[in-house]
């Protein structure tokens, strides 16, 4: 793959802050020159990419979070609850490009080439019976991740596997029409191509979802959703009730877990919001879905440490590190 960079053991050492009497996650995490290792449950990879955001007329910067995340994640304490040996650090895609254009269709064509590479690697991971954890980049990558997981599962279980289900904690449906690939229509492509079956969306924002899409998904029996406003303003249901409803809706087959950081309050992202989900609730979502769902993959996207308009926040990577560790611990505690 042209844009993929695989890690060797020496590559993680500059990130680790060694301290006598302590063992950091980065000292235990699996790194293999031979490709996908046999002795771990999760395979971690990054995506440095904001082309899908630009293709959707958004603010670039989603390509900046991977290194910040890795620095935080590798310095977690290795404990009995999460040693680090459960995870292979595989590598990262770098689709950072110098092109600057006002024409979204130029970027949309580039997203198609990204799809091909991401899908291929995710499929290879799943064929080895591992769970991919994909960090960084735009939400455009939901489509090749879902497709890659689906194709990998078909290889493992060709006669028994049906389409994947998915739970997405997000301010947006990302179910816009098929008008060329971008960060706003990954789930539409996956659904219409029958890689995605049931799709649950938790905490949509009424201000940022068109009536045409809301009307459409209300009539689709394969889609369940709730608004942030119904949870926190009208108090029709609690956040926990919303998440458990999504879990109930998607149970019965393998389910992908998605978190778009633009749904979280004051987290640097392409569609950063001052009103959204707290870090505490997002961490609970990660932990609970890992326990309750038959997990197919984890995808955390749209976060940034620096946006194209100059805004910066170095803590985004540490937040993602919390979210990933919560997910892994939840899975291991099943």
């Amino acid at each position: 793959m042209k844009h993929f960079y695989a890690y060797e053991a020496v590559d993680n050492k500059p990130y680790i802050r060694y301290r006598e009497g302590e063992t950091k996650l980065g000292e235990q995490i699996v790194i293999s020159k031979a490709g996908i290792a046999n002795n771990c449950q999760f395979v971690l990879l990054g995506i440095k990419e904001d082309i899908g955001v630009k293709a959707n007329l958004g603010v670039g910067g989603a390509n900046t979070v991977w290194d910040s995340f890795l620095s935080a994640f590798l310095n977690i304490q290795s404990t009995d609850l999460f040693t680090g040996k459960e995870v292979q650090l595989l590598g990262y895609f770098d689709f950072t490009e110098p092109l600057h254009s006002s024409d979204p269709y130029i970027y949309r064509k580039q997203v198609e080439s990204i799809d091909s590479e991401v899908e291929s690697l995710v499929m290879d991971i799943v064929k080895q019976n591992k769970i991919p954890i994909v960090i960084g980049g735009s939400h455009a990558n939901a489509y090749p991740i879902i497709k890659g997981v689906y194709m990998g599962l078909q290889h493992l279980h060709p006669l028994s596997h049906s389409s994947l289900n998915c739970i997405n904690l997000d301010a947006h449906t990302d179910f816009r029409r098929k008008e060329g690939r971008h960060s706003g229509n990954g789930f539409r492509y996956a659904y219409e191509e029958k890689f995605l079956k049931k799709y649950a969306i938790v905490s949509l924002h009424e201000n940022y979802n068109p009536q045409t899409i809301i009307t459409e998904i209300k009539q689709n029996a394969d889609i369940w959703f709730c608004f942030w406003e119904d949870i926190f303003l009208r108090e029709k249901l609690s956040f926990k009730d919303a998440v458990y409803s999504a879990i109930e809706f998607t149970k019965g087959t393998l389910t992908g877990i998605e978190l778009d950081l633009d749904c979280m309050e004051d987290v640097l992202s392409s569609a950063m919001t001052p009103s959204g989900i707290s870090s505490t609730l997002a961490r609970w979502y990660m932990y609970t879905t890992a326990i309750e769902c038959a997990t197919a993959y984890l995808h955390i996207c749209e976060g940034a440490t620096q946006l194209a308009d100059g805004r910066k926040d170095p803590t985004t990577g540490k937040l993602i590190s919390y979210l990933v560790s919560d997910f892994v611990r939840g899975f291991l505690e099943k």
Side-chain angles (χ1 to χ4, degrees):
M1 282 165 284
K2 179 180 177 183
H3 295 92
F4 187 73
Y5 300 84
Y7 283 113
E8 298 186 4
V10 69
D11 296 327
N12 71 328
K13 291 182 178 179
Y15 290 98
I16 303 171
R17 297 185 290 276
Y18 297 94
R19 184 176 292 164
E20 186 176 354
E22 298 180 4
T23 303
K24 301 294 182 68
L25 200 76
E27 298 177 74
Q28 299 293 314
I29 202 165
V30 177
I31 299 178
S32 173
K33 290 184 179 180
I36 298 165
N38 292 323
N39 57 337
C40 56
Q41 294 168 290
F42 304 94
V43 176
L44 175 63
L45 64 141
I47 303 182
K48 297 183 179 182
E49 171 273 322
D50 63 358
I51 297 169
V53 171
K54 295 174 182 176
N56 196 30
L57 304 175
V59 179
N63 59 320
T64 63
V65 83
W66 170 251
D67 290 328
S68 173
F69 157 75
L70 200 61
S71 179
F73 189 67
L74 295 181
N75 284 287
I76 290 175
Q77 298 289 340
S78 173
T79 69
D80 290 343
L81 294 173
F82 182 16
T83 67
K85 294 178 182 179
E86 306 88 348
V87 178
Q88 179 182 0
L89 176 60
L90 188 63
Y92 65 94
F93 288 102
D94 191 345
F95 296 107
T96 304
E97 43 73 47
L99 176 66
H100 298 283
S101 174
S102 59
D103 183 355
Y105 290 98
I106 292 177
Y107 293 116
R108 291 174 188 181
K109 292 300 294 182
Q110 289 181 289
V111 173
E112 293 177 9
S113 63
I114 293 172
D115 287 346
S116 177
E117 290 194 46
V118 172
E119 173 202 331
S120 178
L121 182 57
V122 169
M123 179 177 65
D124 288 343
I125 292 169
V126 175
K127 284 167 66 175
Q128 299 300 316
N129 208 25
K130 309 298 181 185
I131 297 174
I133 298 176
V134 186
I135 305 300
S138 74
H139 221 156
N141 296 306
Y143 167 66
I145 293 170
I146 292 169
K147 183 177 179 181
V149 171
Y150 176 87
M151 298 302 291
L153 290 170
Q154 287 286 56
H155 175 85
L156 289 173
H157 311 289
L159 299 179
S160 61
H161 181 67
S162 60
S163 300
L164 286 172
N165 293 341
C166 183
I167 301 174
N168 182 22
L169 180 58
D170 200 339
H172 313 93
T173 64
D174 291 344
F175 209 71
R176 292 182 180 273
R177 61 190 175 91
K178 293 171 72 173
E179 56 187 0
R181 289 281 295 112
H182 56 64
S183 63
N185 61 18
F187 295 98
R188 167 79 72 175
Y189 276 80
Y191 179 74
E192 293 197 0
E193 294 177 19
K194 301 189 184 307
F195 305 120
L196 173 65
K197 176 57 176 174
K198 288 188 175 181
Y199 179 33
I201 321 156
V202 178
S203 197
L204 293 176
H205 287 202
E206 290 178 353
N207 290 355
Y208 295 99
N209 288 278
Q211 183 61 56
T212 52
I213 292 179
I214 296 304
T215 299
E216 177 188 1
I217 64 177
K218 278 183 178 179
Q219 299 169 352
N220 189 328
D222 289 330
I223 299 177
W224 178 93
F225 69 94
C226 66
F227 286 114
W228 184 97
E229 290 79 5
D230 283 337
I231 299 170
F232 298 103
L233 294 185
R234 303 182 186 100
E235 297 183 334
K236 291 183 177 181
L237 72 172
S238 69
F239 180 76
K240 289 185 177 182
D241 286 341
V243 172
Y244 277 116
S245 293
I247 291 168
E248 180 68 20
F249 181 75
T250 54
K251 74 176 184 180
T253 191
L254 288 172
T255 299
I257 306 302
E258 299 265 352
L259 197 162
D260 186 326
L261 291 168
D262 69 18
C263 77
M264 294 185 62
E265 194 165 296
D266 295 327
V267 174
L268 196 67
S269 67
S270 61
M272 185 176 179
T273 181
S275 177
I277 298 298
S278 70
S279 59
T280 300
L281 290 178
R283 290 184 63 183
W284 180 86
Y285 164 79
M286 287 281 100
Y287 177 77
T288 302
T289 53
I291 290 176
E292 298 292 340
C293 296
T295 309
Y297 71 86
L298 172 64
H299 181 210
I300 301 175
C301 60
E302 297 280 347
T305 53
Q306 180 171 346
L307 292 175
D309 60 13
R311 286 176 288 170
K312 298 180 181 179
D313 187 345
T315 68
T316 311
K318 187 173 183 178
L319 169 64
I320 299 172
S321 177
Y322 272 115
L323 296 167
V324 173
S325 61
D326 294 331
F327 177 85
V328 172
R329 288 192 186 99
F331 185 93
L332 296 175
E333 292 174 21
K334 286 186 178 183

Coordinates of all heavy atoms in Angstrom, one line a residue, residues 44-50 61-67 69 93 133-142 145 259 261 298-304 320 324:
L44 N -4.2 -1.8 16.1 CA -4.3 -0.4 16.2 C -3.6 0.2 15.0 O -2.4 0.0 14.7 CB -3.7 0.2 17.5 CG -3.6 1.7 17.7 CD1 -5.0 2.3 17.7 CD2 -2.9 2.0 18.9
L45 N -4.4 1.1 14.2 CA -3.7 1.8 13.1 C -4.3 3.3 13.1 O -5.4 3.5 13.5 CB -4.0 1.1 11.8 CG -5.4 1.0 11.3 CD1 -5.5 1.2 9.8 CD2 -6.0 -0.4 11.6
G46 N -3.5 4.1 12.5 CA -3.9 5.5 12.4 C -4.1 6.0 11.0 O -3.6 5.3 10.1
I47 N -4.8 7.1 10.8 CA -5.0 7.7 9.5 C -4.8 9.2 9.6 O -5.5 9.9 10.3 CB -6.4 7.4 9.0 CG1 -6.8 5.9 8.9 CG2 -6.6 8.0 7.6 CD1 -8.1 5.6 8.4
K48 N -3.7 9.6 8.9 CA -3.5 11.0 8.8 C -4.1 11.5 7.5 O -3.6 11.3 6.4 CB -2.0 11.3 8.8 CG -1.2 10.9 10.1 CD 0.3 11.2 10.0 CE 1.0 10.8 11.2 NZ 2.4 11.2 11.2
E49 N -5.3 12.2 7.7 CA -6.1 12.5 6.5 C -7.1 13.5 6.8 O -7.8 13.3 7.9 CB -6.7 11.2 5.9 CG -7.7 11.4 4.8 CD -9.1 11.6 5.3 OE1 -9.5 11.0 6.3 OE2 -9.8 12.4 4.7
D50 N -7.3 14.5 6.0 CA -8.4 15.4 6.2 C -9.1 15.8 4.9 O -9.9 16.7 4.7 CB -8.1 16.7 6.9 CG -7.0 17.6 6.2 OD1 -6.6 17.1 5.1 OD2 -6.7 18.7 6.6
G61 N -7.8 19.5 9.2 CA -7.0 19.4 10.4 C -7.1 18.0 11.0 O -6.4 17.7 11.9
A62 N -8.0 17.2 10.5 CA -8.2 15.8 11.1 C -7.0 14.9 10.8 O -6.9 13.8 11.4 CB -9.4 15.2 10.5
N63 N -6.0 15.4 10.1 CA -4.8 14.6 9.8 C -3.7 14.8 10.9 O -2.7 14.2 10.9 CB -4.2 15.1 8.5 CG -3.9 16.6 8.4 OD1 -4.6 17.4 8.9 ND2 -2.7 16.9 7.8
T64 N -4.0 15.7 11.9 CA -3.0 16.1 12.9 C -3.0 15.3 14.2 O -2.1 15.5 15.0 CB -3.1 17.6 13.2 OG1 -4.4 17.8 13.8 CG2 -3.0 18.4 11.9
V65 N -4.0 14.5 14.5 CA -4.2 13.9 15.8 C -3.4 12.6 16.1 O -3.2 12.3 17.3 CB -5.7 13.8 16.1 CG1 -6.2 12.4 15.6 CG2 -6.0 13.9 17.6
W66 N -3.0 11.9 15.1 CA -2.5 10.6 15.4 C -1.2 10.6 16.3 O -1.1 9.8 17.2 CB -2.1 9.9 14.0 CG -1.3 8.6 14.2 CD1 0.0 8.4 13.9 CD2 -1.8 7.4 14.8 NE1 0.3 7.1 14.2 CE2 -0.7 6.5 14.8 CE3 -3.0 6.9 15.3 CZ2 -0.8 5.2 15.2 CZ3 -3.1 5.6 15.8 CH2 -2.0 4.8 15.8
D67 N -0.2 11.4 16.0 CA 1.0 11.4 16.8 C 0.7 11.8 18.2 O 1.3 11.3 19.2 CB 2.0 12.4 16.2 CG 2.6 11.8 14.9 OD1 2.7 10.6 14.7 OD2 2.9 12.6 14.0
F69 N -2.1 11.4 19.8 CA -2.8 10.2 20.5 C -1.8 9.2 20.8 O -1.8 8.7 22.0 CB -3.8 9.6 19.5 CG -4.1 8.2 19.8 CD1 -4.9 7.8 20.9 CD2 -3.5 7.2 19.0 CE1 -5.1 6.5 21.2 CE2 -3.8 5.8 19.3 CZ -4.6 5.5 20.4
F93 N -1.6 5.3 8.0 CA -1.7 5.8 6.7 C -1.4 7.3 6.7 O -1.8 8.0 7.7 CB -3.1 5.7 6.1 CG -3.5 4.3 5.7 CD1 -4.3 3.5 6.6 CD2 -3.1 3.7 4.5 CE1 -4.7 2.2 6.2 CE2 -3.4 2.4 4.2 CZ -4.2 1.7 5.0
I133 N -8.8 -1.2 15.5 CA -9.1 0.1 16.1 C -8.4 1.2 15.3 O -7.2 1.2 15.1 CB -8.5 0.1 17.5 CG1 -9.1 -0.9 18.4 CG2 -8.6 1.5 18.2 CD1 -8.5 -1.0 19.8
V134 N -9.3 2.0 14.7 CA -8.8 3.0 13.7 C -9.0 4.4 14.3 O -10.1 4.8 14.7 CB -9.6 2.9 12.4 CG1 -9.0 3.8 11.3 CG2 -9.6 1.4 11.9
I135 N -7.9 5.2 14.3 CA -7.8 6.5 14.9 C -7.4 7.5 14.0 O -6.4 7.4 13.2 CB -6.9 6.5 16.1 CG1 -7.2 5.4 17.1 CG2 -6.9 7.8 16.8 CD1 -8.6 5.4 17.7
G136 N -8.1 8.7 13.9 CA -7.7 9.8 13.1 C -8.4 9.9 11.8 O -9.2 9.0 11.4
G137 N -8.2 11.0 11.1 CA -8.8 11.2 9.8 C -10.2 11.6 9.9 O -10.8 11.9 10.9
S138 N -10.9 11.6 8.7 CA -12.3 12.1 8.6 C -13.2 11.0 8.7 O -12.8 9.8 8.7 CB -12.5 12.8 7.2 OG -12.5 11.8 6.2
H139 N -14.5 11.3 8.8 CA -15.5 10.3 8.9 C -15.8 9.6 7.6 O -16.6 8.7 7.5 CB -16.8 10.8 9.6 CG -17.4 9.8 10.5 ND1 -18.3 10.2 11.6 CD2 -17.3 8.5 10.7 CE1 -18.6 9.1 12.3 NE2 -18.1 8.1 11.7
A140 N -15.2 10.1 6.5 CA -15.3 9.4 5.2 C -14.8 8.0 5.4 O -15.3 7.1 4.6 CB -14.5 10.2 4.2
N141 N -13.9 7.7 6.3 CA -13.3 6.4 6.4 C -14.2 5.4 7.0 O -13.9 4.2 7.0 CB -12.0 6.5 7.2 CG -11.0 7.4 6.5 OD1 -10.6 7.1 5.4 ND2 -10.5 8.4 7.2
A142 N -15.4 5.8 7.5 CA -16.3 4.8 8.0 C -16.7 3.8 6.8 O -16.9 2.6 7.1 CB -17.6 5.5 8.5
I145 N -13.9 1.2 6.1 CA -13.7 0.4 7.3 C -14.9 -0.7 7.4 O -14.6 -1.9 7.5 CB -13.7 1.2 8.6 CG1 -12.4 2.0 8.7 CG2 -13.8 0.3 9.8 CD1 -12.4 3.1 9.8
L259 N -17.3 6.8 16.9 CA -17.4 8.1 17.7 C -16.8 9.2 16.9 O -15.6 9.2 16.6 CB -16.7 8.0 19.1 CG -17.1 9.0 20.1 CD1 -16.7 8.6 21.5 CD2 -16.4 10.4 19.8
L261 N -15.7 12.9 17.0 CA -15.4 13.9 18.1 C -16.1 15.2 17.9 O -16.1 16.0 18.9 CB -13.9 14.0 18.2 CG -13.2 12.8 18.7 CD1 -11.7 13.0 18.5 CD2 -13.5 12.5 20.2
L298 N -13.6 -0.6 16.1 CA -13.7 0.8 16.8 C -13.1 1.8 15.8 O -12.0 1.6 15.3 CB -13.0 0.8 18.1 CG -12.9 2.2 18.8 CD1 -14.3 2.7 19.1 CD2 -12.1 2.1 20.0
H299 N -13.9 2.9 15.6 CA -13.4 4.0 14.8 C -13.7 5.3 15.5 O -14.8 5.6 15.8 CB -14.1 4.0 13.5 CG -13.7 5.0 12.5 ND1 -14.6 5.6 11.6 CD2 -12.5 5.7 12.3 CE1 -14.0 6.5 10.8 NE2 -12.7 6.5 11.3
I300 N -12.6 6.1 15.8 CA -12.7 7.4 16.4 C -12.1 8.4 15.4 O -10.9 8.3 15.1 CB -12.0 7.5 17.8 CG1 -12.6 6.4 18.7 CG2 -12.1 8.9 18.4 CD1 -11.9 6.3 20.1
C301 N -12.9 9.4 15.1 CA -12.4 10.3 13.9 C -12.8 11.7 14.2 O -13.4 12.1 15.1 CB -13.1 9.8 12.6 SG -14.9 9.8 12.7
E302 N -12.3 12.5 13.2 CA -12.6 14.0 13.1 C -11.9 14.9 14.1 O -11.9 16.1 14.0 CB -14.1 14.3 13.1 CG -14.9 13.6 12.0 CD -14.8 14.4 10.7 OE1 -14.4 15.5 10.7 OE2 -15.2 13.8 9.7
G303 N -11.2 14.3 15.1 CA -10.4 15.1 16.0 C -9.2 15.7 15.4 O -8.6 15.2 14.4
A304 N -8.7 16.8 16.1 CA -7.5 17.5 15.6 C -6.7 18.1 16.7 O -7.3 18.4 17.8 CB -7.9 18.6 14.6
I320 N -8.5 11.0 23.2 CA -8.7 9.7 22.4 C -8.1 8.6 23.1 O -8.6 7.4 23.1 CB -8.2 9.9 21.0 CG1 -8.9 11.1 20.3 CG2 -8.3 8.6 20.2 CD1 -8.3 11.4 18.9
V324 N -10.0 5.0 23.9 CA -9.5 3.7 23.4 C -9.3 2.8 24.6 O -9.7 1.6 24.6 CB -8.3 3.9 22.6 CG1 -7.7 2.5 22.2 CG2 -8.6 4.6 21.3

